[in-house]
């Protein structure tokens, strides 16, 4: 009888300890969401205009283009790669759609051709990295320069008018109520990418390749094809972001998206995706994009300069790296 009571007490203690550990793990893994919610509360207290419908809509519209690119970057980083060419590919996509429409190509084919061109660029650079065993950092760095130069060559560095229809302009600048259409596109792409990564065989391959390329190869997985595919997705989404910006501005800008790759990588890292691959996901990136956008928006509302924003953003990234390291060590101990 005494032994039975002791066993039940021990089992209860183990269950309580397990619940405590699960609660602690949940808090650690949800740290970014908690920080985001806390920042929103602070922003609403410091700047009452933060919670206005116009400001929220503007915030979502401004963050969506970076977010779309960051989703593609997340898939690349999950395979332990990096894509430094996304800013140049985005500018090329925006210029291409403008030139195609000016030449009389209908809106939908012009958009599809521009996005396809981005996918080709991405697949080419990813293929070089995968099949020739070149570091993706170097191949995409070369792509950053080459594609940007090609973008300038299209119009000798001058902006290109779209001559687009009102429907095309609504794609990047329209609203459904207070919600920007580009924000809806961002959400849909995030959900689709999350579904692919978590619910398909291809998604399993992406995580497997990022965790251990050699083990994935020995297991018969198409490692080179997976790497090429995620770079193609990254290029396509970058070109789509360029198309959406051209839609909003009604003009293609060859200088657009300068430094976009750094913002995308920052969101990926802040979102908890491991730079060495195999861990993370697009939903963390989604929250990170919104967090960085809220931070910059708050600085603007408070009249703080861009230099201050850079310092704060850098500190937040450093904190995120430390938290991610703690999560890794906690997982290793478990």
């Amino acid at each position: 009888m005494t032994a039975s009571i002791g066993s039940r007490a021990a089992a209860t203690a183990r269950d309580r300890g397990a619940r405590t550990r699960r609660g602690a793990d949940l808090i650690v893994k949800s740290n970014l969401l908690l920080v985001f919610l806390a920042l929103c509360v602070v922003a609403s207290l410091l700047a009452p205009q933060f919670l206005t419908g116009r400001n929220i809509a503007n915030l979502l519209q401004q963050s969506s283009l970076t977010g779309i690119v960051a989703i593609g970057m997340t898939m690349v980083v999950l395979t332990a790669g990096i894509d430094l060419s996304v800013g140049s590919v985005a500018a090329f996509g925006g210029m291409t759609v403008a030139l195609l429409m000016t030449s009389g190509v209908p809106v939908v084919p012009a958009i599809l051709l521009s996005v396809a061109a981005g996918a080709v660029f991405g697949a080419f650079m990813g293929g070089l990295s995968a099949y020739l065993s070149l570091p993706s950092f170097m191949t995409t760095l070369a792509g950053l320069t080459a594609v940007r130069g090609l973008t300038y060559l299209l119009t000798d560095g001058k902006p290109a008018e779209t001559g687009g229809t009102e429907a095309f302009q609504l794609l990047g600048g329209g609203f459904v109520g207070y919600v920007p259409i580009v924000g809806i596109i961002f959400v849909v792409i995030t959900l689709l990418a999350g579904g692919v990564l978590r619910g398909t065989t291809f998604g399993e391959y992406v995580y497997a390749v990022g965790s251990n390329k050699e083990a994935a190869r020995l297991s018969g997985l198409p490692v080179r094809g997976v790497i090429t595919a995620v770079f193609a997705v990254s290029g396509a989404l970058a070109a789509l972001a360029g198309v959406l910006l051209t839609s909003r501005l009604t003009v293609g800008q060859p200088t657009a998206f300068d430094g976009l790759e750094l913002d995308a990588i920052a969101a990926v890292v802040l979102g908890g995706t491991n730079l060495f691959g195999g861990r993370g996901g697009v939903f963390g990136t989604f929250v990170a994009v919104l967090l960085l956008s809220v931070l910059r928006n708050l600085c603007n509302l408070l009249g703080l300069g861009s230099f201050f924003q850079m310092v704060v953003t850098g500190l937040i990234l450093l904190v995120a790296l430390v938290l991610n390291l703690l999560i890794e060590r906690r997982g290793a101990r478990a």
Side-chain angles (χ1 to χ4, degrees):
M1 183 69 174
T2 304
S4 177
I5 294 175
S7 299
R8 287 198 297 270
T12 301
R14 285 196 300 270
D15 291 340
R16 187 181 300 112
R19 286 195 298 269
T20 301
R21 285 192 297 272
R22 286 196 296 269
D25 288 340
L26 181 62
I27 291 175
V28 171
K29 293 179 180 179
S30 302
N31 66 83
L32 183 64
L33 181 59
L34 295 175
V35 170
F36 171 69
L37 295 175
L39 181 61
C40 288
V41 172
V42 171
S44 63
L45 293 175
L46 294 179
Q49 63 270 42
F50 172 78
L51 288 179
T52 61
R54 176 176 294 182
N55 185 65
I56 298 254
N58 180 59
L59 188 152
L60 183 57
Q61 188 176 47
Q62 290 181 346
S63 64
S64 293
L65 298 184
T66 301
I68 289 171
V69 175
I71 295 301
M73 182 71 77
T74 302
M75 299 183 72
V76 170
V77 173
L78 283 172
T79 63
I82 201 77
D83 189 354
L84 299 179
S85 67
V86 288
S88 299
V89 173
F92 181 85
M95 288 293 292
T96 301
V97 74
L99 293 174
L100 288 173
M101 292 177 65
T102 302
S103 301
V105 177
V107 174
V108 174
I111 293 174
L112 293 178
L113 287 171
S114 300
V115 172
V120 169
F121 280 129
F124 177 73
M125 286 179 283
L128 287 177
S129 176
Y131 288 91
L132 299 180
S133 299
L134 296 174
S136 59
F137 179 90
M138 295 307 299
T139 58
T140 57
L141 180 62
L144 179 153
T145 304
V147 176
R148 181 68 71 172
L150 181 59
T151 303
Y152 286 132
L153 285 174
L154 290 176
T155 58
D156 197 24
K158 299 175 183 177
E161 297 288 341
T162 62
T165 63
E166 183 177 349
F168 177 69
Q169 295 173 13
L170 286 174
L171 188 64
F175 289 81
V176 177
Y178 280 105
V179 181
I181 293 176
V182 70
I184 297 174
I185 295 173
F186 176 31
V187 172
V188 170
I189 288 174
T190 302
L191 293 175
L192 289 175
V196 168
L197 288 174
R198 295 298 182 180
T200 68
T201 301
F202 176 75
E204 294 177 359
Y205 287 174
V206 169
Y207 282 99
V209 170
S211 297
N212 191 320
K213 288 183 182 179
E214 185 61 20
R217 185 186 66 81
L218 294 175
S219 300
L221 301 187
V223 174
R224 293 172 175 173
V226 170
I227 293 174
T228 303
V230 295
F231 273 91
V233 171
S234 179
L237 291 180
L240 176 61
V243 169
L244 293 173
L245 180 65
T246 296
S247 168
R248 191 170 77 195
L249 300 178
T250 69
V251 63
Q253 289 284 359
T255 58
F257 297 109
D258 187 28
L260 175 65
E261 57 280 347
L262 300 180
D263 290 337
I265 294 171
V268 172
V269 173
L270 185 59
T273 298
N274 191 341
L275 280 173
F276 298 102
R279 186 182 65 80
V282 295
F283 297 114
T285 300
F286 180 84
V287 176
V289 168
L290 295 181
L291 189 152
L292 291 173
S293 183
V294 167
L295 178 64
R296 290 166 181 162
N297 182 255
L298 176 60
C299 289
N300 290 331
L301 292 175
L302 296 177
L304 301 177
S306 59
F307 299 152
F308 181 82
Q309 296 179 34
M310 293 170 63
V311 172
V312 173
T313 301
L315 291 175
I316 287 180
L317 288 175
L318 183 60
V319 171
L321 288 171
V322 172
L323 289 175
N324 288 339
L325 179 61
L326 294 176
I327 292 173
E328 289 285 347
R329 289 180 175 176
R330 190 182 186 89
R333 287 197 300 269

